């Protein structure tokens, strides 16, 4: 399934609806579907919030595919080059008041998924990962 979004935070609702529908069709447990949605929402929000230096409309494509033991997701965008897998892990041990803002989306990506990879080709960022799931 391909979900084609624009670089506008108003598309978060549509992303959640599409991910929910895909997971329901595939028989994915609701708790795991919510985790997948959380990771994708964080990635999408970061792309929209930090990836573009102009006000033009850009397309962000989220692809979901069922595989043995998980959902393979790929996010493709034409934002500025950014490899989230090279970013230091977020500080989750300090109190909320002492932590720097940001980084939890990448923390969720690392903790809730496996087989993460990133590459840049043709002016586009490609981020893939697998969300392990059980069907119900």
């Amino acid at each position: 399934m391909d979900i084609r979004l624009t670089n506008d935070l108003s598309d978060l609702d549509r992303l959640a609806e599409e991910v929910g529908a895909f997971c329901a069709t595939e028989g994915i447990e609701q708790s795991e579907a919510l985790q997948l949605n959380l990771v994708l929402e964080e990635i999408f929000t970061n792309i929209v919030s930090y990836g573009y230096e102009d006000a033009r409309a850009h397309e962000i494509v989220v692809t979901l595919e069922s595989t043995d033991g998980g959902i393979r997701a790929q996010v493709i965008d034409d934002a500025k080059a950014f490899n989230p897998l090279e970013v230091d892990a977020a500080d989750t041990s300090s109190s909320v008041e002492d932590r720097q803002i940001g980084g939890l989306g990448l923390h969720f990506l690392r903790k809730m998924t496996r087989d993460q990879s990133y590459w840049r080709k043709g002016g586009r960022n490609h981020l893939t990962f697998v969300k392990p799931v059980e069907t119900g």
Side-chain angles (χ1 to χ4, degrees):
M1 161 189 250
D2 285 345
I3 307 168
R4 297 187 178 279
L5 308 163
T6 60
N7 57 317
D8 189 312
L9 291 177
S10 66
D11 267 357
L12 274 171
D13 290 338
R14 193 161 67 79
L15 175 61
E17 289 171 11
E18 297 278 352
V19 171
F22 175 84
C23 289
T25 299
E26 297 297 320
I28 306 301
E29 296 289 334
Q30 185 175 12
S31 62
E32 292 174 331
L34 290 172
Q35 288 179 0
L36 174 62
N37 191 58
L38 176 63
V39 170
L40 288 169
E41 283 184 355
E42 289 289 334
I43 292 167
F44 176 78
T45 299
N46 285 342
I47 294 167
V48 171
S49 299
Y50 307 111
Y52 296 102
E53 297 175 339
D54 61 38
R56 294 179 323 153
H58 295 268
E59 183 177 66
I60 300 165
V61 180
V62 176
T63 302
L64 302 175
E65 174 186 16
S66 287
T67 64
D68 289 340
I71 301 297
R72 182 177 181 273
Q74 182 173 49
V75 181
I76 302 172
D77 64 76
D78 66 344
K80 59 187 169 188
F82 178 71
N83 182 348
L85 305 179
E86 291 180 346
V87 175
D88 290 337
D91 176 8
T92 58
S93 60
S94 298
S95 69
V96 172
E97 295 82 18
D98 294 334
R99 292 184 201 168
Q100 284 188 328
I101 294 174
L104 283 180
L106 299 178
H107 173 75
F108 296 146
L109 174 67
R110 289 180 175 122
K111 295 297 180 187
M112 295 180 186
T113 71
R114 63 173 166 49
D115 302 336
Q116 303 95 354
S117 65
Y118 168 87
W119 68 94
R120 182 146 176 108
K121 182 178 180 184
R124 297 187 180 281
N125 298 301
H126 297 253
L127 176 65
T128 64
F129 60 87
V130 174
K131 169 64 180 107
V133 298
E134 293 185 26
T135 56

